[in-house]
Amino acid sequence: MKSIIALMDYKAKFGSKHFDTPYRSGMDKDKLTHYFNELDFRVEYMYLNEINLSKDSYSGKDVIYTSSEDIGYKYKSYIEDIIFALELSGANIIPAYKHLRANNNKVFMELMREFEGLTNNISAQVFGSMKDLLMHLDKITYPIVFKTSEGASGTGVSLINTEKELIAKVKQINQRDYNKDLRDYGRSLKHKGYIRESLYRQKFILQEFIPDLQNDWKIYIFGEKLYVFKRPLLKGRGIKASGGGYDNYFYGLEAEVPDGLFDFAQEIYTKMNVPHISIDIVFDGREFYLIEFQSLYFGTAGIPYSEGYFTLKNKGWDFVNNKLEVEKVYADSIAQYLEKKHIKKTEHIYHS
């Protein structure tokens, strides 16, 4: 039986699950163990704080892990340190550390879109401060979509129509520490030539606006299973489809999927080389656009709300009417990913 390490947070939470019990407790670890056992995997659960790189070797070991959406993302930062160190030590981190870095970090997500070559038909710019923005104001075309780097369910997203609105928005998202700002001002008086810190250093994204949209589609791909739901733009929510309430969405066969949407999503999934992914896609009648993605610790409501999933067959995408538990879908995707990775490794050794 193959072994896999599953890293939990300090609350013994692993992963994300809609309708979890107790509330916000993540996946059911007993169920997860059961489904992995069926796939010939033995799961060893460990707390992140139990990792000791000075005593134990994790080189070559398969490691799955949780992320976090704690307030201020302070614990998530700790998780990043542990996972990056494990990856550097030679552990097989699933998914790789860069995907954790992009989780609830839309600035890095946009940078990943570029260096992974995911799509090139929608432009975006990332900024780390007001002063960064001021260097590029003359290149910005309005209206434009403003996004804070952190935030889920549409929080931090707004449509900006003028330069004045943009400047005000950047100021709005920053919480200033007036004592530290005053000390920095003092440095400028004391030291000739000293350049003060920008007062507004909260990173953000400006993304190209696609007009006249009525909805987006959220797609999960877990190995060979594809879940989809349509999210209408509800009155009063502006350009935000996310966060409109799961009872207002349309799942599976009711999602009114345009031809080519699943192929577009599958191409992104293949490029990302991950066991599972959540993708937000819009369609303007001519082209599909990748708006956002997450490769771990994303919402899973589309699974229990759906009557089944789509899978790619020789003649196209077939719908399988079968309601599955999140733990089953997750375990299957990890096992399939590792099997494909083993096959590729064997083929590489053989051809070498």
Side-chain angles (χ1 to χ4, degrees):
M1 183 173 281
K2 299 176 285 292
S3 295
I4 191 166
I5 297 172
L7 296 179
M8 311 174 292
D9 68 9
Y10 62 93
K11 296 187 288 185
K13 178 179 180 179
F14 181 86
S16 173
K17 179 182 179 180
H18 203 75
F19 298 132
D20 50 359
T21 304
Y23 178 62
R24 290 196 172 185
S25 59
M27 295 186 197
D28 185 313
K29 291 187 289 294
D30 290 335
K31 289 182 178 180
L32 204 56
T33 297
H34 167 72
Y35 287 124
F36 269 117
N37 284 342
E38 286 188 336
L39 298 164
D40 200 33
F41 278 90
R42 181 179 66 85
V43 182
E44 178 187 357
Y45 291 101
M46 293 179 62
Y47 288 100
L48 285 148
N49 61 55
E50 292 181 301
I51 295 297
N52 189 330
L53 294 170
S54 65
K55 291 184 178 180
D56 302 309
S57 173
Y58 298 92
S59 181
K61 293 185 178 180
D62 296 324
V63 179
I64 55 179
Y65 59 96
T66 192
S67 184
S68 176
E69 291 182 348
D70 63 306
I71 297 171
Y73 295 94
K74 296 178 181 179
Y75 196 78
K76 197 249 183 182
S77 177
Y78 169 73
I79 296 174
E80 286 192 18
D81 293 339
I82 297 293
I83 296 304
F84 192 30
L86 279 169
E87 187 171 276
L88 291 174
S89 76
N92 179 28
I93 300 299
I94 307 167
Y97 166 73
K98 62 185 177 182
H99 299 283
L100 174 61
R101 181 69 182 170
N103 177 235
N104 285 312
N105 180 349
K106 295 176 185 177
V107 163
F108 190 70
M109 184 192 304
E110 286 297 339
L111 296 173
M112 266 192 78
R113 182 209 300 274
E114 293 179 9
F115 70 73
E116 296 282 357
L118 298 181
T119 59
N120 59 9
N121 61 348
I122 184 170
S123 62
Q125 297 170 277
V126 299
F127 299 97
S129 72
M130 176 74 83
K131 288 190 176 181
D132 288 325
L133 173 65
L134 295 178
M135 297 179 194
H136 297 269
L137 274 179
D138 60 334
K139 304 181 187 72
I140 297 171
T141 303
Y142 301 92
I144 197 162
V145 177
F146 179 97
K147 296 182 180 181
T148 55
S149 189
E150 299 171 351
S153 299
T155 58
V157 179
S158 57
L159 186 64
I160 302 295
N161 292 291
T162 66
E163 181 178 301
K164 183 178 180 181
E165 284 183 28
L166 178 56
I167 298 296
K169 178 60 69 173
V170 174
K171 290 181 178 180
Q172 179 187 337
I173 67 170
N174 281 267
Q175 292 183 343
R176 290 178 55 184
D177 185 325
Y178 287 95
N179 287 329
K180 290 183 179 179
D181 290 345
L182 186 60
R183 290 195 200 102
D184 196 51
Y185 175 70
R187 294 187 189 102
S188 68
L189 298 177
K190 183 177 180 180
H191 302 284
K192 184 178 180 180
Y194 173 74
I195 300 175
R196 293 174 58 192
E197 301 282 358
S198 172
L199 298 177
Y200 310 102
R201 300 185 305 279
Q202 192 73 28
K203 60 185 179 181
F204 60 93
I205 304 97
L206 297 180
Q207 190 177 72
E208 178 184 351
F209 173 61
I210 303 169
D212 303 323
L213 297 177
Q214 301 300 315
N215 64 275
D216 74 1
W217 285 271
K218 169 77 78 175
I219 290 181
Y220 309 147
I221 302 181
F222 285 81
E224 297 174 355
K225 302 178 182 69
L226 184 152
Y227 291 84
V228 60
F229 52 102
K230 178 182 177 181
R231 305 186 298 187
L233 294 176
L234 301 175
K235 186 177 180 180
R237 290 192 56 79
I239 62 171
K240 296 179 285 189
S242 178
Y246 290 107
D247 291 334
N248 296 315
Y249 301 153
F250 301 90
Y251 301 86
L253 293 172
E254 297 181 353
E256 299 179 315
V257 174
D259 291 341
L261 178 65
F262 291 166
D263 293 333
F264 179 79
Q266 181 70 23
E267 183 179 353
I268 294 168
Y269 173 67
T270 301
K271 287 180 178 178
M272 292 289 279
N273 188 27
V274 289
H276 36 68
I277 195 169
S278 170
I279 314 172
D280 298 351
I281 298 173
V282 298
F283 181 54
D284 66 359
R286 300 179 302 277
E287 290 186 82
F288 295 104
Y289 300 89
L290 171 64
I291 301 301
E292 291 183 7
F293 64 88
Q294 296 285 355
S295 309
L296 77 157
Y297 203 75
F298 47 81
T300 58
I303 296 176
Y305 273 89
S306 297
E307 293 301 319
Y309 56 88
F310 289 88
T311 188
L312 184 61
K313 300 292 185 182
N314 292 332
K315 294 183 179 180
W317 292 90
D318 290 348
F319 186 75
V320 179
N321 200 313
N322 185 13
K323 290 181 74 72
L324 298 173
E325 293 188 295
V326 170
E327 291 84 358
K328 165 67 173 171
V329 176
Y330 176 85
D332 284 350
S333 72
I334 296 293
Q336 290 168 13
Y337 175 80
L338 288 174
E339 180 63 24
K340 288 180 181 179
K341 189 168 186 174
H342 175 72
I343 291 172
K344 288 181 180 179
K345 184 177 180 180
T346 303
E347 288 176 345
H348 176 72
I349 293 172
Y350 176 79
H351 290 298
S352 297

